[in-house]
Amino acid sequence: MKPYGKKKLKAALKEGDYEEYVKEAIQQQRAGAQVLDVNVGLPGIDETQVMVKIIKMLQEVIDLPLQIDSSSFEVIEKACRYYNGKPLINSVNAKDEVMEAIFPIVEKYGGVVIGLTLEDGIPLYASERFGLAKKIIEKAKTYHIDKKDIIIDCLTLTASAQQKEVQETLKALSMVKNQLSVYTTLGVSNVSFGLPNRPLLNRTFLALALHAGLDLPIINPLDQQLMDTIDAYRVLSYQDQDAIQYIEKQSNQIMQPVKPTTSFTLQEMIIHGLKDEVKQKTKDMLQSQPALEIINQIIIPALNQVGSDYEKNRIFLPQLIQSAETTKLAFEVIKTTFTQQSATKATVLMCTVEGDVHDIGKNIVKVILESYGYQVIDLGKDVKVERVVEAYQQYHPQAIGLSALMTTTVVNMQKTIQALKEVHCDCPIWVGGAVLTEEIAKDIGADYYCQDAMASVTLLQNIL
């Protein structure tokens, strides 16, 4: 993801609209990208500050490895400091001064580095590029950087200007792979620059390079033909045994390129935590759909998927929080459509119990109860036992709802229920949350268990 050649990314950097990078990242991940290159080198901006900001934002919503791409040693070092995990650095070349600047960063942060086979220009012959690759690997050893953490780029030259050297690139790639036993990468589309029907040249060169030993092709994952070429090669090279992945991807393939789009559904915005546009999207949907229909058919299924992905370690806490914050923004819009009713229905006290910082489910229940005319006193999340007791004595609610998402905080839910009963709480207490069941609710002393928001509405309508 580089600003050059992409007007939207370039404009976004100038305007400080970094959400555009997040959208681009999601599109590329959807298309099958396995690593995302992040470059923000644009005159007139603070590259270091912007790189750190975008690295943080991307890691909140996607789980792909990021490649830190900059010509500034300072930018690379700062980005590595804030990157969660093993950073991939783009790049180092065979110049001593560059290696002496980059390799200490790689060593310090335990990173992976791309080594470019150039010193004073790109050598024409495979043997020369092989020699530079060997120099980079040997120099890296002096900084305790293992070969497994080095990716060599033999550099693709354009067939329009240096046609003979295309074969030299493939020869160098094969030599590096077979004799040095390191991972390899190439920028595929460089080969077709200046020639007609570039996609044909690109996918043909990609197939040749894969056969020569290319591990990590640098391509646009939105180019379906290139992605299809990789799928086909993995079958023919016996990497995709029994063609399982190929069949899964290609069975229903429509033979046309994937068109980039910046249009996301409300469900996708919640799942990916896209906060910038969710309010407007929610307003637009309210023009044609009732609020409760949006909640029940779009928001709740989206949050169910987020919760499921979190439980299965497909996403992690930062992504979960992003989704929760995005949902809150959608609910802010939805709440404005609810008719304010007089106190004809009961007052309900709600909170997420002590030690639990997840309040997505509780917030959904709150909004839906309010839409049905209940007055909800929301104490928030991570609420201490004493505070719940104080609130009960202060507000005298007709019902109390407690939420917990984590197994470890169910014990605090039980302590809260016990403390309420010790002060002779005479209102019903219902509980809910991903880790709870009817049986657990009974064991910890709750009066009722509700699986979801609408179950909570039904319960209160029946008991109050």
Side-chain angles (χ1 to χ4, degrees):
M1 298 189 297
K2 301 182 180 183
Y4 297 101
K6 293 192 175 181
K7 293 181 180 179
K8 283 190 176 182
L9 292 186
K10 189 174 183 179
L13 285 180
K14 288 183 175 180
E15 296 167 8
D17 179 19
Y18 308 135
E19 191 82 11
E20 197 64 41
Y21 264 77
V22 176
K23 293 177 184 177
E24 178 74 13
I26 292 170
Q27 290 169 15
Q28 293 199 20
Q29 184 178 34
R30 282 176 175 174
Q34 295 174 311
V35 178
L36 296 181
D37 181 275
V38 183
N39 181 295
V40 298
L42 197 66
I45 68 169
D46 185 335
E47 186 183 355
T48 303
Q49 182 181 12
V50 173
M51 176 67 89
V52 170
K53 175 69 175 176
I54 289 178
I55 288 287
K56 289 180 177 179
M57 289 178 67
L58 291 175
Q59 290 194 116
E60 286 178 345
V61 298
I62 63 171
D63 56 3
L64 290 181
L66 303 180
Q67 178 173 283
I68 299 164
D69 184 359
S70 177
S71 58
S72 166
F73 306 143
E74 178 187 352
V75 171
I76 290 173
E77 200 281 333
K78 197 57 147 307
C80 287
R81 186 182 305 175
Y82 284 93
Y83 183 74
N84 297 324
K86 193 180 184 76
L88 172 56
I89 296 169
N90 186 11
S91 57
V92 71
N93 58 43
K95 289 183 178 180
D96 289 329
E97 60 269 28
V98 175
M99 290 190 287
E100 288 164 4
I102 291 293
F103 283 153
I105 300 173
V106 179
E107 181 184 24
K108 179 179 180 180
Y109 294 99
V112 177
V113 65
I114 291 180
L116 308 180
T117 55
L118 63 84
E119 193 166 19
D120 297 310
I122 303 175
L124 296 180
Y125 300 109
S127 58
E128 296 173 294
R129 295 188 222 181
F130 175 81
L132 293 180
K134 193 172 181 180
K135 177 183 177 181
I136 291 170
I137 293 168
E138 289 175 350
K139 184 74 171 180
K141 281 183 186 177
T142 66
Y143 290 88
H144 309 101
I145 300 170
D146 194 270
K147 281 202 303 185
K148 66 179 177 59
D149 292 325
I150 300 172
I151 302 169
I152 294 296
D153 187 341
C154 291
L155 301 170
T156 304
L157 299 177
T158 61
S160 60
Q162 295 173 286
Q163 189 174 0
K164 290 182 180 178
E165 281 67 50
V166 173
Q167 286 299 311
E168 292 298 318
T169 296
L170 295 172
K171 288 178 186 176
L173 178 62
S174 182
M175 291 171 68
V176 167
K177 188 65 184 175
N178 294 328
Q179 298 180 43
L180 299 179
S181 301
V182 293
Y183 292 111
T184 58
T185 188
L186 280 177
V188 172
S189 63
N190 297 349
V191 76
S192 63
F193 184 79
L195 291 172
N197 196 1
R198 294 187 65 187
L200 175 59
L201 290 168
N202 291 343
R203 64 179 183 267
T204 305
F205 178 70
L206 174 59
L208 291 170
L210 289 169
H211 183 65
L214 177 60
D215 297 304
L216 304 166
I218 302 170
I219 62 172
N220 176 7
L222 297 173
D223 187 327
Q224 191 61 51
Q225 291 181 335
L226 289 179
M227 298 299 287
D228 290 345
T229 298
I230 294 174
D231 290 341
Y233 176 78
R234 294 189 74 251
V235 173
L236 301 178
S237 62
Y238 197 55
Q239 295 178 42
D240 180 8
Q241 295 184 23
D242 298 322
I244 292 173
Q245 294 179 7
Y246 180 84
I247 293 169
E248 180 182 339
K249 292 180 181 179
Q250 301 294 326
S251 296
N252 301 310
Q253 187 65 263
I254 299 173
M255 299 305 293
Q256 62 182 20
V258 176
K259 295 181 179 179
T261 175
T262 56
S263 177
F264 293 90
T265 65
L266 179 59
Q267 188 165 358
E268 289 170 335
M269 288 180 178
I270 291 170
I271 290 170
H272 296 294
L274 300 177
K275 293 182 284 189
D276 281 6
E277 299 178 19
V278 71
K279 282 191 172 184
Q280 187 58 51
K281 186 68 175 180
T282 306
K283 290 177 184 176
D284 293 343
M285 295 192 67
L286 285 167
Q287 299 298 316
S288 58
Q289 287 181 257
L292 287 177
E293 184 177 303
I294 293 173
I295 293 172
N296 291 326
Q297 295 183 11
I298 297 172
I299 295 180
I300 291 177
L303 290 174
N304 286 340
Q305 181 175 335
V306 171
S308 174
D309 288 346
Y310 180 73
E311 289 173 7
K312 295 174 181 176
N313 291 324
R314 292 174 181 163
I315 65 170
F316 300 91
L317 188 57
Q319 292 100 313
L320 184 70
I321 292 172
Q322 282 288 106
S323 293
E325 291 175 349
T326 304
T327 304
K328 286 180 182 178
L329 294 175
F331 275 137
E332 285 178 14
V333 176
I334 290 172
K335 283 179 65 175
T336 63
T337 67
F338 294 148
T339 304
Q340 295 297 319
Q341 301 183 24
S342 57
T344 57
K345 291 192 177 180
T347 298
V348 176
L349 182 69
M350 294 187 65
C351 74
T352 302
V353 298
E354 184 175 357
D356 204 318
V357 297
H358 308 96
D359 61 354
I360 298 176
K362 184 260 297 175
N363 288 340
I364 295 174
V365 175
K366 172 189 173 183
V367 171
I368 292 182
L369 288 180
E370 288 176 337
S371 75
Y372 276 81
Y374 293 93
Q375 180 185 359
V376 179
I377 298 166
D378 183 6
L379 301 182
K381 58 189 175 184
D382 190 18
V383 181
K384 293 186 179 297
V385 174
E386 297 80 8
R387 175 67 187 119
V388 180
V389 173
E390 289 173 4
Y392 164 71
Q393 295 172 331
Q394 177 182 355
Y395 297 107
H396 305 290
Q398 279 73 59
I400 297 175
L402 303 177
S403 174
L405 181 70
M406 300 187 297
T407 306
T408 53
T409 55
V410 173
V411 63
N412 291 332
M413 183 178 276
Q414 183 176 20
K415 289 178 182 178
T416 304
I417 294 170
Q418 290 173 345
L420 286 167
K421 291 186 175 180
E422 286 173 5
V423 296
H424 307 292
C425 172
D426 57 1
C427 69
I429 300 171
W430 93 96
V431 297
V435 297
L436 294 169
T437 63
E438 191 86 48
E439 184 178 358
I440 293 174
K442 183 178 179 181
D443 289 343
I444 63 177
D447 298 307
Y448 301 98
Y449 162 74
C450 289
Q451 184 175 1
D452 54 37
M454 292 311 299
S456 297
V457 172
T458 302
L459 171 69
L460 296 185
Q461 288 175 332
N462 290 335
I463 66 175
L464 297 181

